[in-house]
Each structure stands twice: as structure tokens, then as C-alpha cells.
Amino acid sequence: AQSVSQHNHHVILSEAASLELGCNYSYGGTVNLFWYVQYPGQHLQLLLKYFSGDPLVKGIKGFEAEFIKSKFSFNLRKPSVQWSDTAEYFCAVNHGSGNTGKLIFGQGTTLQVKP
Amino acid sequence: EPEVTQTPSHQVTQMGQEVILRCVPISNHLYFYWYRQILGQKVEFLVSFYNNEISEKSEIFDDQFSVERPDGSNFTLKIRSTKLEDSAMYFCASNREGETQYFGPGTRLLVL
């Protein structure tokens, strides 16, 4: 069965620290990869996505992620976090072309940034 | 920017009652989804819907659940006889082929 695993459940950082959140998935075929963010009291918003092409993708608010096919990974990074990045981060995957399949989510990582 | 909307934002119901959660997907989207998130757990897929029929459903989506697109704008999730374990945040999403799934703000359902 397909699954997504996020390595960290709760991360606490100080402002300006660098961030890396791990995400691994299990599926051998063509995948589409996503990071969604959920700010307190708000709905899921797309941070970035990978469908094909350059494995290093850049998203909103200075976030980027690298798809490493050999490691089945899609880690999220940000060089310098801000207090406003405090949120829940979800890695998700679906498979096949068209992106019309179900999204499978990881369990989420709560990021707390201290001012 | 167009958004997926959901009503109500919160619903409290008694066990055994029927509930209908409503969603208005983005107008030119053709693919629709329901997901749920039990408190403290991951977001789980329930069902996908295209061309007026279910494309895929999860094990969670049993006979107590149904979906409908009653008109050109709404997409509903009905739970016929709610159970305590149905308490969760329910998210609707929509997209066009090849594009990202956009999520609504969710309906928080509490079954007492």
C-alpha cells in the first residue's frame, strides 16, 4: 500500500534558523509530490509541488523541496524561518499523470518558530 | 482568487443522526474530493468524484457515506447515521486535470 512518512512530528526552531523537514514515500511508479501548509485556524494551502522536470522545486514564502527518486524522498527546506512560519506541514503524494488521484498524506509536522 | 467553500464551518450532532456537509468547488473544476482529519491524526482520503460518479473510495467510505452533486455548483457528503468516530474535520477539494487540488476550509463535525 502507498504510504507517506514524515520524520519529525514536532519541530521547534528559533527565528533565522534553517529548516529541513523529511518526507519519504512508498510507491514505485510515477508520482506527484506536494507540500501543504496549514496555518493555525486556516485551511490547507499548497506550498509547492513536483510533477516532473527539475527535481529542485521552489514554492511560496521561500520554501523549496528536492525530489530524490533513488531515496523516495521529497524533503522541504527553508534557509531562514520566520515566526510566521509556525504551522502544520503536510507532505502528500499521488500517482499517475493528470493529478486526479487521491492524495495520500503524511502524518504532519508541527513547526513552532520562537521569536 | 477563486476558492473552495464549505458549509457549515462547525456542526454538532447526536449519534445516529444524519448530517450533510456542503461544498462549493471552484467553478471550472471537474474533479471533486472529500478528505477527513480526525483530531491529532493524518488527513485521510474518503472519496473522489468525476462526471457524476464516484471515481475511487477508501475503506472508510462505507454504506453510511454518500456523495452527490445535486446541481452545477454544490458537492455534498452525507453521513446517514453518525457514529462517535465520525467526529473529525472534513475537507472538500477540487481541481482540473493536471492541476493542484485546492482545499476548502473544512467542516468540523462533532458527534455526541
Side-chain angles (χ1 to χ4, degrees), chain A residues 64-87:
Chain A
E64 65 178 32
E66 185 176 11
F67 170 49
I68 303 179
K69 190 174 181 179
S70 61
K71 295 185 178 180
F72 298 90
S73 71
F74 190 57
N75 291 354
L76 181 72
R77 299 193 291 249
K78 185 170 183 178
S80 176
V81 295
Q82 300 172 311
W83 176 80
S84 58
D85 293 325
T86 295

mmCIF file with all atom_site columns, all heavy atoms in Angstrom, chain A residues 64-87:
data_model
loop_
_atom_site.group_PDB
_atom_site.id
_atom_site.type_symbol
_atom_site.label_atom_id
_atom_site.label_alt_id
_atom_site.label_comp_id
_atom_site.label_asym_id
_atom_site.label_entity_id
_atom_site.label_seq_id
_atom_site.pdbx_PDB_ins_code
_atom_site.Cartn_x
_atom_site.Cartn_y
_atom_site.Cartn_z
_atom_site.occupancy
_atom_site.B_iso_or_equiv
_atom_site.pdbx_formal_charge
_atom_site.auth_seq_id
_atom_site.auth_comp_id
_atom_site.auth_asym_id
_atom_site.auth_atom_id
_atom_site.pdbx_PDB_model_num
ATOM 1   N N   . GLU A 1 64 ? 11.565 25.530 -0.458  1.00 0.00 ? 64 GLU A N   1
ATOM 2   C CA  . GLU A 1 64 ? 11.945 24.715 -1.596  1.00 0.00 ? 64 GLU A CA  1
ATOM 3   C C   . GLU A 1 64 ? 11.962 23.253 -1.169  1.00 0.00 ? 64 GLU A C   1
ATOM 4   O O   . GLU A 1 64 ? 11.979 22.945 0.034   1.00 0.00 ? 64 GLU A O   1
ATOM 5   C CB  . GLU A 1 64 ? 13.314 25.116 -2.146  1.00 0.00 ? 64 GLU A CB  1
ATOM 6   C CG  . GLU A 1 64 ? 14.459 24.886 -1.199  1.00 0.00 ? 64 GLU A CG  1
ATOM 7   C CD  . GLU A 1 64 ? 15.800 25.265 -1.821  1.00 0.00 ? 64 GLU A CD  1
ATOM 8   O OE1 . GLU A 1 64 ? 15.848 26.195 -2.654  1.00 0.00 ? 64 GLU A OE1 1
ATOM 9   O OE2 . GLU A 1 64 ? 16.800 24.621 -1.463  1.00 0.00 ? 64 GLU A OE2 1
ATOM 10  N N   . ALA A 1 65 ? 11.915 22.374 -2.138  1.00 0.00 ? 65 ALA A N   1
ATOM 11  C CA  . ALA A 1 65 ? 11.968 20.946 -1.836  1.00 0.00 ? 65 ALA A CA  1
ATOM 12  C C   . ALA A 1 65 ? 12.721 20.249 -2.947  1.00 0.00 ? 65 ALA A C   1
ATOM 13  O O   . ALA A 1 65 ? 12.708 20.686 -4.101  1.00 0.00 ? 65 ALA A O   1
ATOM 14  C CB  . ALA A 1 65 ? 10.567 20.357 -1.695  1.00 0.00 ? 65 ALA A CB  1
ATOM 15  N N   . GLU A 1 66 ? 13.378 19.163 -2.575  1.00 0.00 ? 66 GLU A N   1
ATOM 16  C CA  . GLU A 1 66 ? 14.151 18.402 -3.549  1.00 0.00 ? 66 GLU A CA  1
ATOM 17  C C   . GLU A 1 66 ? 13.622 16.991 -3.644  1.00 0.00 ? 66 GLU A C   1
ATOM 18  O O   . GLU A 1 66 ? 13.514 16.281 -2.631  1.00 0.00 ? 66 GLU A O   1
ATOM 19  C CB  . GLU A 1 66 ? 15.631 18.376 -3.177  1.00 0.00 ? 66 GLU A CB  1
ATOM 20  C CG  . GLU A 1 66 ? 16.492 17.689 -4.239  1.00 0.00 ? 66 GLU A CG  1
ATOM 21  C CD  . GLU A 1 66 ? 17.967 17.755 -3.924  1.00 0.00 ? 66 GLU A CD  1
ATOM 22  O OE1 . GLU A 1 66 ? 18.337 18.132 -2.797  1.00 0.00 ? 66 GLU A OE1 1
ATOM 23  O OE2 . GLU A 1 66 ? 18.765 17.422 -4.831  1.00 0.00 ? 66 GLU A OE2 1
ATOM 24  N N   . PHE A 1 67 ? 13.307 16.577 -4.851  1.00 0.00 ? 67 PHE A N   1
ATOM 25  C CA  . PHE A 1 67 ? 12.852 15.219 -5.115  1.00 0.00 ? 67 PHE A CA  1
ATOM 26  C C   . PHE A 1 67 ? 14.085 14.367 -5.413  1.00 0.00 ? 67 PHE A C   1
ATOM 27  O O   . PHE A 1 67 ? 14.821 14.637 -6.374  1.00 0.00 ? 67 PHE A O   1
ATOM 28  C CB  . PHE A 1 67 ? 11.891 15.221 -6.306  1.00 0.00 ? 67 PHE A CB  1
ATOM 29  C CG  . PHE A 1 67 ? 11.528 13.868 -6.843  1.00 0.00 ? 67 PHE A CG  1
ATOM 30  C CD1 . PHE A 1 67 ? 11.109 12.851 -5.995  1.00 0.00 ? 67 PHE A CD1 1
ATOM 31  C CD2 . PHE A 1 67 ? 11.594 13.603 -8.205  1.00 0.00 ? 67 PHE A CD2 1
ATOM 32  C CE1 . PHE A 1 67 ? 10.760 11.612 -6.487  1.00 0.00 ? 67 PHE A CE1 1
ATOM 33  C CE2 . PHE A 1 67 ? 11.239 12.358 -8.710  1.00 0.00 ? 67 PHE A CE2 1
ATOM 34  C CZ  . PHE A 1 67 ? 10.822 11.361 -7.843  1.00 0.00 ? 67 PHE A CZ  1
ATOM 35  N N   . ILE A 1 68 ? 14.307 13.364 -4.598  1.00 0.00 ? 68 ILE A N   1
ATOM 36  C CA  . ILE A 1 68 ? 15.398 12.423 -4.848  1.00 0.00 ? 68 ILE A CA  1
ATOM 37  C C   . ILE A 1 68 ? 14.746 11.068 -5.092  1.00 0.00 ? 68 ILE A C   1
ATOM 38  O O   . ILE A 1 68 ? 14.337 10.375 -4.148  1.00 0.00 ? 68 ILE A O   1
ATOM 39  C CB  . ILE A 1 68 ? 16.402 12.360 -3.681  1.00 0.00 ? 68 ILE A CB  1
ATOM 40  C CG1 . ILE A 1 68 ? 16.970 13.751 -3.406  1.00 0.00 ? 68 ILE A CG1 1
ATOM 41  C CG2 . ILE A 1 68 ? 17.529 11.383 -4.008  1.00 0.00 ? 68 ILE A CG2 1
ATOM 42  C CD1 . ILE A 1 68 ? 17.958 13.808 -2.259  1.00 0.00 ? 68 ILE A CD1 1
ATOM 43  N N   . LYS A 1 69 ? 14.654 10.699 -6.357  1.00 0.00 ? 69 LYS A N   1
ATOM 44  C CA  . LYS A 1 69 ? 13.914 9.494  -6.739  1.00 0.00 ? 69 LYS A CA  1
ATOM 45  C C   . LYS A 1 69 ? 14.517 8.237  -6.125  1.00 0.00 ? 69 LYS A C   1
ATOM 46  O O   . LYS A 1 69 ? 13.800 7.353  -5.677  1.00 0.00 ? 69 LYS A O   1
ATOM 47  C CB  . LYS A 1 69 ? 13.882 9.375  -8.262  1.00 0.00 ? 69 LYS A CB  1
ATOM 48  C CG  . LYS A 1 69 ? 12.942 8.309  -8.781  1.00 0.00 ? 69 LYS A CG  1
ATOM 49  C CD  . LYS A 1 69 ? 12.872 8.351  -10.297 1.00 0.00 ? 69 LYS A CD  1
ATOM 50  C CE  . LYS A 1 69 ? 11.906 7.292  -10.818 1.00 0.00 ? 69 LYS A CE  1
ATOM 51  N NZ  . LYS A 1 69 ? 11.817 7.332  -12.298 1.00 0.00 ? 69 LYS A NZ  1
ATOM 52  N N   . SER A 1 70 ? 15.853 8.179  -6.087  1.00 0.00 ? 70 SER A N   1
ATOM 53  C CA  . SER A 1 70 ? 16.519 6.973  -5.585  1.00 0.00 ? 70 SER A CA  1
ATOM 54  C C   . SER A 1 70 ? 16.278 6.760  -4.098  1.00 0.00 ? 70 SER A C   1
ATOM 55  O O   . SER A 1 70 ? 16.366 5.639  -3.597  1.00 0.00 ? 70 SER A O   1
ATOM 56  C CB  . SER A 1 70 ? 18.027 7.058  -5.846  1.00 0.00 ? 70 SER A CB  1
ATOM 57  O OG  . SER A 1 70 ? 18.572 8.173  -5.173  1.00 0.00 ? 70 SER A OG  1
ATOM 58  N N   . LYS A 1 71 ? 15.951 7.835  -3.405  1.00 0.00 ? 71 LYS A N   1
ATOM 59  C CA  . LYS A 1 71 ? 15.697 7.739  -1.967  1.00 0.00 ? 71 LYS A CA  1
ATOM 60  C C   . LYS A 1 71 ? 14.209 7.830  -1.640  1.00 0.00 ? 71 LYS A C   1
ATOM 61  O O   . LYS A 1 71 ? 13.840 7.827  -0.465  1.00 0.00 ? 71 LYS A O   1
ATOM 62  C CB  . LYS A 1 71 ? 16.448 8.856  -1.224  1.00 0.00 ? 71 LYS A CB  1
ATOM 63  C CG  . LYS A 1 71 ? 17.957 8.744  -1.309  1.00 0.00 ? 71 LYS A CG  1
ATOM 64  C CD  . LYS A 1 71 ? 18.634 9.818  -0.455  1.00 0.00 ? 71 LYS A CD  1
ATOM 65  C CE  . LYS A 1 71 ? 20.145 9.665  -0.500  1.00 0.00 ? 71 LYS A CE  1
ATOM 66  N NZ  . LYS A 1 71 ? 20.825 10.700 0.329   1.00 0.00 ? 71 LYS A NZ  1
ATOM 67  N N   . PHE A 1 72 ? 13.377 7.947  -2.642  1.00 0.00 ? 72 PHE A N   1
ATOM 68  C CA  . PHE A 1 72 ? 11.933 8.105  -2.445  1.00 0.00 ? 72 PHE A CA  1
ATOM 69  C C   . PHE A 1 72 ? 11.661 9.243  -1.456  1.00 0.00 ? 72 PHE A C   1
ATOM 70  O O   . PHE A 1 72 ? 10.838 9.119  -0.542  1.00 0.00 ? 72 PHE A O   1
ATOM 71  C CB  . PHE A 1 72 ? 11.297 6.789  -1.941  1.00 0.00 ? 72 PHE A CB  1
ATOM 72  C CG  . PHE A 1 72 ? 11.431 5.659  -2.913  1.00 0.00 ? 72 PHE A CG  1
ATOM 73  C CD1 . PHE A 1 72 ? 12.529 4.822  -2.881  1.00 0.00 ? 72 PHE A CD1 1
ATOM 74  C CD2 . PHE A 1 72 ? 10.457 5.434  -3.872  1.00 0.00 ? 72 PHE A CD2 1
ATOM 75  C CE1 . PHE A 1 72 ? 12.658 3.773  -3.795  1.00 0.00 ? 72 PHE A CE1 1
ATOM 76  C CE2 . PHE A 1 72 ? 10.576 4.391  -4.779  1.00 0.00 ? 72 PHE A CE2 1
ATOM 77  C CZ  . PHE A 1 72 ? 11.678 3.569  -4.742  1.00 0.00 ? 72 PHE A CZ  1
ATOM 78  N N   . SER A 1 73 ? 12.392 10.334 -1.627  1.00 0.00 ? 73 SER A N   1
ATOM 79  C CA  . SER A 1 73 ? 12.261 11.416 -0.659  1.00 0.00 ? 73 SER A CA  1
ATOM 80  C C   . SER A 1 73 ? 11.888 12.728 -1.332  1.00 0.00 ? 73 SER A C   1
ATOM 81  O O   . SER A 1 73 ? 12.141 12.945 -2.522  1.00 0.00 ? 73 SER A O   1
ATOM 82  C CB  . SER A 1 73 ? 13.569 11.590 0.121   1.00 0.00 ? 73 SER A CB  1
ATOM 83  O OG  . SER A 1 73 ? 14.573 12.133 -0.700  1.00 0.00 ? 73 SER A OG  1
ATOM 84  N N   . PHE A 1 74 ? 11.287 13.601 -0.541  1.00 0.00 ? 74 PHE A N   1
ATOM 85  C CA  . PHE A 1 74 ? 10.881 14.929 -1.013  1.00 0.00 ? 74 PHE A CA  1
ATOM 86  C C   . PHE A 1 74 ? 10.930 15.857 0.198   1.00 0.00 ? 74 PHE A C   1
ATOM 87  O O   . PHE A 1 74 ? 9.913  16.225 0.772   1.00 0.00 ? 74 PHE A O   1
ATOM 88  C CB  . PHE A 1 74 ? 9.472  14.864 -1.618  1.00 0.00 ? 74 PHE A CB  1
ATOM 89  C CG  . PHE A 1 74 ? 9.040  16.113 -2.340  1.00 0.00 ? 74 PHE A CG  1
ATOM 90  C CD1 . PHE A 1 74 ? 9.792  16.623 -3.392  1.00 0.00 ? 74 PHE A CD1 1
ATOM 91  C CD2 . PHE A 1 74 ? 7.865  16.766 -1.996  1.00 0.00 ? 74 PHE A CD2 1
ATOM 92  C CE1 . PHE A 1 74 ? 9.393  17.759 -4.082  1.00 0.00 ? 74 PHE A CE1 1
ATOM 93  C CE2 . PHE A 1 74 ? 7.449  17.906 -2.671  1.00 0.00 ? 74 PHE A CE2 1
ATOM 94  C CZ  . PHE A 1 74 ? 8.214  18.394 -3.708  1.00 0.00 ? 74 PHE A CZ  1
ATOM 95  N N   . ASN A 1 75 ? 12.142 16.211 0.590   1.00 0.00 ? 75 ASN A N   1
ATOM 96  C CA  . ASN A 1 75 ? 12.333 16.992 1.815   1.00 0.00 ? 75 ASN A CA  1
ATOM 97  C C   . ASN A 1 75 ? 12.091 18.474 1.566   1.00 0.00 ? 75 ASN A C   1
ATOM 98  O O   . ASN A 1 75 ? 12.481 19.025 0.531   1.00 0.00 ? 75 ASN A O   1
ATOM 99  C CB  . ASN A 1 75 ? 13.741 16.773 2.350   1.00 0.00 ? 75 ASN A CB  1
ATOM 100 C CG  . ASN A 1 75 ? 13.945 15.360 2.873   1.00 0.00 ? 75 ASN A CG  1
ATOM 101 O OD1 . ASN A 1 75 ? 13.005 14.569 2.944   1.00 0.00 ? 75 ASN A OD1 1
ATOM 102 N ND2 . ASN A 1 75 ? 15.174 15.046 3.218   1.00 0.00 ? 75 ASN A ND2 1
ATOM 103 N N   . LEU A 1 76 ? 11.520 19.097 2.550   1.00 0.00 ? 76 LEU A N   1
ATOM 104 C CA  . LEU A 1 76 ? 11.204 20.525 2.494   1.00 0.00 ? 76 LEU A CA  1
ATOM 105 C C   . LEU A 1 76 ? 12.284 21.315 3.211   1.00 0.00 ? 76 LEU A C   1
ATOM 106 O O   . LEU A 1 76 ? 12.716 20.922 4.307   1.00 0.00 ? 76 LEU A O   1
ATOM 107 C CB  . LEU A 1 76 ? 9.846  20.782 3.164   1.00 0.00 ? 76 LEU A CB  1
ATOM 108 C CG  . LEU A 1 76 ? 9.351  22.228 3.176   1.00 0.00 ? 76 LEU A CG  1
ATOM 109 C CD1 . LEU A 1 76 ? 8.928  22.659 1.766   1.00 0.00 ? 76 LEU A CD1 1
ATOM 110 C CD2 . LEU A 1 76 ? 8.183  22.378 4.142   1.00 0.00 ? 76 LEU A CD2 1
ATOM 111 N N   . ARG A 1 77 ? 12.677 22.449 2.619   1.00 0.00 ? 77 ARG A N   1
ATOM 112 C CA  . ARG A 1 77 ? 13.734 23.247 3.230   1.00 0.00 ? 77 ARG A CA  1
ATOM 113 C C   . ARG A 1 77 ? 13.380 24.726 3.170   1.00 0.00 ? 77 ARG A C   1
ATOM 114 O O   . ARG A 1 77 ? 12.647 25.182 2.285   1.00 0.00 ? 77 ARG A O   1
ATOM 115 C CB  . ARG A 1 77 ? 15.070 23.030 2.506   1.00 0.00 ? 77 ARG A CB  1
ATOM 116 C CG  . ARG A 1 77 ? 15.575 21.599 2.540   1.00 0.00 ? 77 ARG A CG  1
ATOM 117 C CD  . ARG A 1 77 ? 17.009 21.529 2.087   1.00 0.00 ? 77 ARG A CD  1
ATOM 118 N NE  . ARG A 1 77 ? 17.165 21.816 0.670   1.00 0.00 ? 77 ARG A NE  1
ATOM 119 C CZ  . ARG A 1 77 ? 17.516 20.926 -0.230  1.00 0.00 ? 77 ARG A CZ  1
ATOM 120 N NH1 . ARG A 1 77 ? 17.685 19.666 0.116   1.00 0.00 ? 77 ARG A NH1 1
ATOM 121 N NH2 . ARG A 1 77 ? 17.678 21.272 -1.496  1.00 0.00 ? 77 ARG A NH2 1
ATOM 122 N N   . LYS A 1 78 ? 13.944 25.427 4.143   1.00 0.00 ? 78 LYS A N   1
ATOM 123 C CA  . LYS A 1 78 ? 13.895 26.887 4.118   1.00 0.00 ? 78 LYS A CA  1
ATOM 124 C C   . LYS A 1 78 ? 15.137 27.376 4.842   1.00 0.00 ? 78 LYS A C   1
ATOM 125 O O   . LYS A 1 78 ? 15.419 26.933 5.966   1.00 0.00 ? 78 LYS A O   1
ATOM 126 C CB  . LYS A 1 78 ? 12.631 27.427 4.785   1.00 0.00 ? 78 LYS A CB  1
ATOM 127 C CG  . LYS A 1 78 ? 12.509 28.953 4.662   1.00 0.00 ? 78 LYS A CG  1
ATOM 128 C CD  . LYS A 1 78 ? 11.162 29.472 5.099   1.00 0.00 ? 78 LYS A CD  1
ATOM 129 C CE  . LYS A 1 78 ? 11.072 30.980 4.875   1.00 0.00 ? 78 LYS A CE  1
ATOM 130 N NZ  . LYS A 1 78 ? 9.753  31.539 5.249   1.00 0.00 ? 78 LYS A NZ  1
ATOM 131 N N   . PRO A 1 79 ? 15.924 28.254 4.231   1.00 0.00 ? 79 PRO A N   1
ATOM 132 C CA  . PRO A 1 79 ? 17.209 28.653 4.824   1.00 0.00 ? 79 PRO A CA  1
ATOM 133 C C   . PRO A 1 79 ? 17.062 29.440 6.130   1.00 0.00 ? 79 PRO A C   1
ATOM 134 O O   . PRO A 1 79 ? 17.915 29.334 7.002   1.00 0.00 ? 79 PRO A O   1
ATOM 135 C CB  . PRO A 1 79 ? 17.868 29.524 3.752   1.00 0.00 ? 79 PRO A CB  1
ATOM 136 C CG  . PRO A 1 79 ? 16.967 29.554 2.585   1.00 0.00 ? 79 PRO A CG  1
ATOM 137 C CD  . PRO A 1 79 ? 15.713 28.845 2.900   1.00 0.00 ? 79 PRO A CD  1
ATOM 138 N N   . SER A 1 80 ? 15.971 30.211 6.253   1.00 0.00 ? 80 SER A N   1
ATOM 139 C CA  . SER A 1 80 ? 15.838 31.070 7.426   1.00 0.00 ? 80 SER A CA  1
ATOM 140 C C   . SER A 1 80 ? 14.353 31.218 7.756   1.00 0.00 ? 80 SER A C   1
ATOM 141 O O   . SER A 1 80 ? 13.623 31.899 7.025   1.00 0.00 ? 80 SER A O   1
ATOM 142 C CB  . SER A 1 80 ? 16.478 32.441 7.132   1.00 0.00 ? 80 SER A CB  1
ATOM 143 O OG  . SER A 1 80 ? 16.282 33.325 8.213   1.00 0.00 ? 80 SER A OG  1
ATOM 144 N N   . VAL A 1 81 ? 13.926 30.577 8.830   1.00 0.00 ? 81 VAL A N   1
ATOM 145 C CA  . VAL A 1 81 ? 12.493 30.591 9.152   1.00 0.00 ? 81 VAL A CA  1
ATOM 146 C C   . VAL A 1 81 ? 12.109 31.871 9.887   1.00 0.00 ? 81 VAL A C   1
ATOM 147 O O   . VAL A 1 81 ? 12.938 32.519 10.530  1.00 0.00 ? 81 VAL A O   1
ATOM 148 C CB  . VAL A 1 81 ? 12.083 29.367 10.002  1.00 0.00 ? 81 VAL A CB  1
ATOM 149 C CG1 . VAL A 1 81 ? 12.260 28.087 9.195   1.00 0.00 ? 81 VAL A CG1 1
ATOM 150 C CG2 . VAL A 1 81 ? 12.841 29.308 11.310  1.00 0.00 ? 81 VAL A CG2 1
ATOM 151 N N   . GLN A 1 82 ? 10.832 32.187 9.795   1.00 0.00 ? 82 GLN A N   1
ATOM 152 C CA  . GLN A 1 82 ? 10.279 33.341 10.487  1.00 0.00 ? 82 GLN A CA  1
ATOM 153 C C   . GLN A 1 82 ? 9.190  32.870 11.432  1.00 0.00 ? 82 GLN A C   1
ATOM 154 O O   . GLN A 1 82 ? 8.643  31.775 11.272  1.00 0.00 ? 82 GLN A O   1
ATOM 155 C CB  . GLN A 1 82 ? 9.674  34.316 9.463   1.00 0.00 ? 82 GLN A CB  1
ATOM 156 C CG  . GLN A 1 82 ? 10.673 34.830 8.446   1.00 0.00 ? 82 GLN A CG  1
ATOM 157 C CD  . GLN A 1 82 ? 10.005 35.625 7.346   1.00 0.00 ? 82 GLN A CD  1
ATOM 158 O OE1 . GLN A 1 82 ? 9.015  35.184 6.765   1.00 0.00 ? 82 GLN A OE1 1
ATOM 159 N NE2 . GLN A 1 82 ? 10.534 36.795 7.064   1.00 0.00 ? 82 GLN A NE2 1
ATOM 160 N N   . TRP A 1 83 ? 8.854  33.723 12.391  1.00 0.00 ? 83 TRP A N   1
ATOM 161 C CA  . TRP A 1 83 ? 7.811  33.387 13.351  1.00 0.00 ? 83 TRP A CA  1
ATOM 162 C C   . TRP A 1 83 ? 6.511  33.027 12.630  1.00 0.00 ? 83 TRP A C   1
ATOM 163 O O   . TRP A 1 83 ? 5.777  32.123 13.035  1.00 0.00 ? 83 TRP A O   1
ATOM 164 C CB  . TRP A 1 83 ? 7.598  34.568 14.298  1.00 0.00 ? 83 TRP A CB  1
ATOM 165 C CG  . TRP A 1 83 ? 6.480  34.364 15.263  1.00 0.00 ? 83 TRP A CG  1
ATOM 166 C CD1 . TRP A 1 83 ? 6.511  33.639 16.414  1.00 0.00 ? 83 TRP A CD1 1
ATOM 167 C CD2 . TRP A 1 83 ? 5.161  34.903 15.159  1.00 0.00 ? 83 TRP A CD2 1
ATOM 168 N NE1 . TRP A 1 83 ? 5.274  33.678 17.032  1.00 0.00 ? 83 TRP A NE1 1
ATOM 169 C CE2 . TRP A 1 83 ? 4.438  34.445 16.294  1.00 0.00 ? 83 TRP A CE2 1
ATOM 170 C CE3 . TRP A 1 83 ? 4.517  35.708 14.218  1.00 0.00 ? 83 TRP A CE3 1
ATOM 171 C CZ2 . TRP A 1 83 ? 3.110  34.788 16.504  1.00 0.00 ? 83 TRP A CZ2 1
ATOM 172 C CZ3 . TRP A 1 83 ? 3.189  36.056 14.435  1.00 0.00 ? 83 TRP A CZ3 1
ATOM 173 C CH2 . TRP A 1 83 ? 2.504  35.588 15.570  1.00 0.00 ? 83 TRP A CH2 1
ATOM 174 N N   . SER A 1 84 ? 6.256  33.694 11.501  1.00 0.00 ? 84 SER A N   1
ATOM 175 C CA  . SER A 1 84 ? 5.019  33.468 10.753  1.00 0.00 ? 84 SER A CA  1
ATOM 176 C C   . SER A 1 84 ? 4.982  32.106 10.051  1.00 0.00 ? 84 SER A C   1
ATOM 177 O O   . SER A 1 84 ? 3.951  31.740 9.483   1.00 0.00 ? 84 SER A O   1
ATOM 178 C CB  . SER A 1 84 ? 4.820  34.580 9.717   1.00 0.00 ? 84 SER A CB  1
ATOM 179 O OG  . SER A 1 84 ? 5.933  34.628 8.845   1.00 0.00 ? 84 SER A OG  1
ATOM 180 N N   . ASP A 1 85 ? 6.083  31.385 10.077  1.00 0.00 ? 85 ASP A N   1
ATOM 181 C CA  . ASP A 1 85 ? 6.088  30.035 9.501   1.00 0.00 ? 85 ASP A CA  1
ATOM 182 C C   . ASP A 1 85 ? 5.535  28.992 10.470  1.00 0.00 ? 85 ASP A C   1
ATOM 183 O O   . ASP A 1 85 ? 5.422  27.816 10.103  1.00 0.00 ? 85 ASP A O   1
ATOM 184 C CB  . ASP A 1 85 ? 7.512  29.634 9.094   1.00 0.00 ? 85 ASP A CB  1
ATOM 185 C CG  . ASP A 1 85 ? 8.038  30.466 7.943   1.00 0.00 ? 85 ASP A CG  1
ATOM 186 O OD1 . ASP A 1 85 ? 7.251  30.837 7.047   1.00 0.00 ? 85 ASP A OD1 1
ATOM 187 O OD2 . ASP A 1 85 ? 9.256  30.767 7.948   1.00 0.00 ? 85 ASP A OD2 1
ATOM 188 N N   . THR A 1 86 ? 5.214  29.406 11.668  1.00 0.00 ? 86 THR A N   1
ATOM 189 C CA  . THR A 1 86 ? 4.602  28.492 12.635  1.00 0.00 ? 86 THR A CA  1
ATOM 190 C C   . THR A 1 86 ? 3.315  27.927 12.044  1.00 0.00 ? 86 THR A C   1
ATOM 191 O O   . THR A 1 86 ? 2.392  28.673 11.713  1.00 0.00 ? 86 THR A O   1
ATOM 192 C CB  . THR A 1 86 ? 4.309  29.222 13.957  1.00 0.00 ? 86 THR A CB  1
ATOM 193 O OG1 . THR A 1 86 ? 5.537  29.610 14.552  1.00 0.00 ? 86 THR A OG1 1
ATOM 194 C CG2 . THR A 1 86 ? 3.533  28.327 14.906  1.00 0.00 ? 86 THR A CG2 1
ATOM 195 N N   . ALA A 1 87 ? 3.273  26.606 11.900  1.00 0.00 ? 87 ALA A N   1
ATOM 196 C CA  . ALA A 1 87 ? 2.147  25.969 11.204  1.00 0.00 ? 87 ALA A CA  1
ATOM 197 C C   . ALA A 1 87 ? 2.348  24.459 11.232  1.00 0.00 ? 87 ALA A C   1
ATOM 198 O O   . ALA A 1 87 ? 3.352  23.954 11.718  1.00 0.00 ? 87 ALA A O   1
ATOM 199 C CB  . ALA A 1 87 ? 2.071  26.443 9.752   1.00 0.00 ? 87 ALA A CB  1
#
